[in-house]
Amino acid sequence: MKELHRTIRLLYTGQSQRARRFRYGLILFDALTIIYFIATAALPMTPTMFAINTALGVLILLDLAARSWISQNLRRELMRIYTLADLVVVGSLLFAPLLTGNFAFLRVLRGLRLIHAYHLLRDLRRESLFFRRHEDAILAAVNLFVFIFVTTSLVFVLAFDEKAGLTGYIDALYFTVATLTTTGFGDITMTTPSGKLLSVFIMVVGVALFVQLARAIFQPSKIKYKCPQCGLNRHEPDAIHCKHCGESVKIETEGEVGA
């Protein structure tokens, strides 16, 4: 058992080529499951989709179990927002065959898999220098992406009949984007008090996320690296000294490229 624990820990945290390939596989799996849940959000449930969802639920559960087993702080690992979101997603996938009736609420729960994008970002931060150089812009784009599609799932369930299918989901996406950009065409509107409050929430949060994305794209690029002397954690990509205290910093680079 100790040898198995060591093997799994090295796969998740090691620096060998095998471990890196394994983690890139996990990143790909995370990305594909997020795309899958978005693509199938408005599709009617079929036996094939039940089978795929069950298999995904088992795989996600195994990943959660492995991460928890090798974690040095189990409580902190279990309290991470993306861990909690994945536990809800796993429950919605594995227990769906036991439920009958309207599955609309499960679409919202499965949409929470989008929150796992933040775990994907953590893995990319460790594996990719390109990501570390453009982290602010990528994170801002992911924040907006997650907000749009989680909100779209919520709008689809609350405002559209489950039989509306793909057309209804596109309308929900259209309403979400039109509302958060404050375009306000008015062809699709919320008429209930709860719907109007949801529209206000989408507008306020959506505008803030757009501003965050624009600022991240157009402001000078910085890279995260904590100065060992003063603690400043934002530096120019090619900095060799901290601009605050003058301490030498060792920011990882791709090295000099010859002509």
Side-chain angles (χ1 to χ4, degrees), residues 129 133 237 251-258:
L129 178 61
R133 287 182 177 274
I251 298 174
E252 182 180 355
T253 68
E254 296 173 336
E256 184 179 354
V257 179

Side-chain angles (χ1 to χ4, degrees), residues 226-239:
K226 186 175 181 179
C227 173
Q229 183 66 28
C230 70
L232 184 68
N233 63 2
R234 308 293 289 178
H235 302 275
E236 301 296 331
D238 59 350

Side-chain angles (χ1 to χ4, degrees), residues 42-81:
L43 299 180
M45 192 59 62
T46 64
T48 300
M49 286 184 63
F50 266 126
I52 293 174
N53 289 348
T54 301
L56 289 177
V58 171
L59 290 174
I60 295 171
L61 183 60
L62 288 175
D63 178 48
L64 286 172
R67 292 181 188 274
S68 300
W69 192 28
I70 65 173
S71 175
Q72 296 181 348
N73 190 328
L74 180 60
R75 177 182 173 83
R76 184 175 64 181
E77 185 68 27
L78 292 177
M79 293 307 295
R80 296 183 190 277
I81 184 171

Side-chain angles (χ1 to χ4, degrees), residues 27-134:
I27 290 172
L28 180 62
F29 173 75
D30 288 342
L32 290 177
T33 55
I34 289 171
I35 294 171
Y36 170 78
F37 286 125
I38 292 174
T40 60
L43 299 180
M45 192 59 62
T46 64
T48 300
M49 286 184 63
F50 266 126
I52 293 174
N53 289 348
T54 301
L56 289 177
V58 171
L59 290 174
I60 295 171
L61 183 60
L62 288 175
D63 178 48
L64 286 172
R67 292 181 188 274
S68 300
W69 192 28
I70 65 173
S71 175
Q72 296 181 348
N73 190 328
L74 180 60
R75 177 182 173 83
R76 184 175 64 181
E77 185 68 27
L78 292 177
M79 293 307 295
R80 296 183 190 277
I81 184 171
Y82 43 75
T83 300
L84 296 174
D86 274 353
L87 287 173
V88 174
V89 171
V90 168
S92 74
L93 293 171
L94 298 184
F95 293 110
L98 305 178
L99 303 176
T100 59
N102 192 331
F103 290 95
F105 73 99
L106 292 179
R107 301 181 192 278
V108 177
L109 297 182
R110 290 167 189 163
L112 294 177
R113 178 64 176 171
L114 284 162
I115 296 176
H116 197 81
Y118 295 107
H119 188 284
L120 191 154
L121 293 183
R122 190 183 75 166
D123 287 345
L124 284 175
R125 183 183 298 114
R126 179 175 57 186
E127 299 293 335
S128 171
L129 178 61
F130 174 84
F131 175 85
R132 291 194 293 273
R133 287 182 177 274
H134 303 89

